Amino acid sequence: MGELVIFLIWGVLLYPDGNLLHKFLWTVVFCGLGMGSTIGAAISLLVVGKWKGIQAVILCAELSGLILGIFCNYLCYSLDMNFDHFGGMDTPVLIVITGTVMAILGGALVGWLCFMENGKKILNRYNV
């Protein structure tokens, strides 16, 4: 969902020039699936069965901030300097900051949904 938001805001609204299919494939398909799998594996290896409650939420936010917010965000920024799909040349600091903040908040949300009782209730309600 986060990658879809990035695609809509950065790829369609703010920087509509260029091929929308390429932008969609980059953000939603390749980055969404690839980095989603990466952070999922990291959480599975480092958090599941080892941490509970608020400590697990904080660790998920930290892992997401590190893996997605710093490493993935830097990769996407570097690629965008060549492709110019999302305004990396025009607003580099804004891209890095918003990507990192979204990664941390997304990681905290995943941690809350998976490791806090209220979050688990929501997931159970939707059979997830």
Side-chain angles (χ1 to χ4, degrees), residues 6-29:
I6 291 170
F7 167 71
L8 292 173
I9 292 174
W10 288 92
V12 176
L13 295 175
L14 296 176
Y15 294 94
D17 295 340
N19 188 319
L20 286 179
L21 178 62
H22 291 169
K23 292 178 184 186
F24 180 82
L25 288 173
W26 177 352
T27 56
V28 177
V29 177

Side-chain angles (χ1 to χ4, degrees), residues 14-55:
L14 296 176
Y15 294 94
D17 295 340
N19 188 319
L20 286 179
L21 178 62
H22 291 169
K23 292 178 184 186
F24 180 82
L25 288 173
W26 177 352
T27 56
V28 177
V29 177
F30 299 123
C31 191
L33 292 175
M35 294 318 307
S37 299
T38 302
I39 193 64
I43 289 171
S44 182
L45 287 170
L46 300 172
V47 181
V48 174
K50 296 174 178 71
W51 299 92
K52 294 181 182 177
I54 194 68
Q55 293 89 2

Side-chain angles (χ1 to χ4, degrees), residues 10 15 73 77 81 87-98:
W10 288 92
Y15 294 94
N73 207 9
Y77 166 74
M81 293 304 286
M89 291 182 204
D90 297 335
T91 57
V93 173
L94 189 58
I95 283 184
V96 171
I97 289 173
T98 57

